[in-house]
Amino acid sequence: FFTEDQLKGVLPSCVNEGGNPNIIMVGAFNKQKLSGFTGGSTRFDPAENKRLVAAVDVYESDFGSMTVVPNRFSRARDVFVLQPDMFATAYLRDFSLMNLAKTGDAEKQALLCEYTLVSKNQKASGAVFDLTTS
């Protein structure tokens, strides 16, 4: 399962390679594991508040503050430590409209585009892979 030591192992390697990650992207199960990290601190909540906060939305590390983002579309067993400004979109073929065969009064068109995600510095981000999810 996901531990704070695993996260702390990824962060220095990102920083040493020129990165400044500010997002931790996790699946639902590992988001709950991350919310259990203590970070060497104790939580204090006023008793009159009658509210228990059991979630971590910002993780403060030796290398800065990182927003914790749950992502249902990535593999649930992977945790990504990302620097978004180190990614860009590159176009092989920009958006264009192409007319298709006409059927009766219906005019059909296709929107064409070829693009990809480009990493400007692959080692500026990191990950912890193949964690348990149950």
Side-chain angles (χ1 to χ4, degrees), residues 91-104:
Y91 292 90
L92 176 62
R93 181 167 47 166
D94 206 355
F95 289 95
S96 64
L97 230 72
M98 183 173 89
N99 290 322
L100 299 175
K102 189 172 180 180
T103 306

Side-chain angles (χ1 to χ4, degrees), residues 4-14:
E4 191 168 10
D5 287 338
Q6 289 171 313
L7 180 60
K8 286 182 175 182
V10 171
L11 295 174
S13 64
C14 295

Side-chain angles (χ1 to χ4, degrees), residues 7-78:
L7 180 60
K8 286 182 175 182
V10 171
L11 295 174
S13 64
C14 295
V15 172
N16 290 338
E17 294 295 336
N20 187 22
N22 59 356
I23 290 181
I24 301 171
M25 192 170 292
V26 294
F29 180 82
N30 287 312
K31 169 68 168 94
Q32 290 181 315
K33 289 294 179 191
L34 192 145
S35 290
F37 292 177
T38 60
S41 64
T42 304
R43 294 181 184 176
F44 293 100
D45 293 316
E48 66 274 1
N49 194 352
K50 294 185 182 180
R51 194 173 143 186
L52 173 66
V53 178
V56 172
D57 294 325
V58 176
Y59 181 81
E60 293 282 343
S61 76
D62 293 330
F63 306 104
S65 176
M66 286 170 268
T67 304
V68 180
V69 178
N71 183 344
R72 70 173 55 96
F73 301 109
S74 65
R75 279 186 359 162
R77 62 183 186 212
D78 297 336

Side-chain angles (χ1 to χ4, degrees), residues 64-134:
S65 176
M66 286 170 268
T67 304
V68 180
V69 178
N71 183 344
R72 70 173 55 96
F73 301 109
S74 65
R75 279 186 359 162
R77 62 183 186 212
D78 297 336
V79 173
F80 298 99
V81 179
L82 304 170
Q83 182 177 349
D85 64 352
M86 286 292 161
F87 293 94
T89 306
Y91 292 90
L92 176 62
R93 181 167 47 166
D94 206 355
F95 289 95
S96 64
L97 230 72
M98 183 173 89
N99 290 322
L100 299 175
K102 189 172 180 180
T103 306
D105 288 340
E107 293 184 19
K108 300 176 190 173
Q109 294 181 323
L111 179 64
L112 300 174
C113 181
E114 291 182 61
Y115 63 96
T116 188
L117 180 67
V118 175
S119 176
K120 298 177 188 176
N121 179 356
Q122 191 172 2
K123 293 185 178 182
S125 297
V128 180
F129 295 110
D130 299 325
L131 301 163
T132 58
T133 57
S134 60

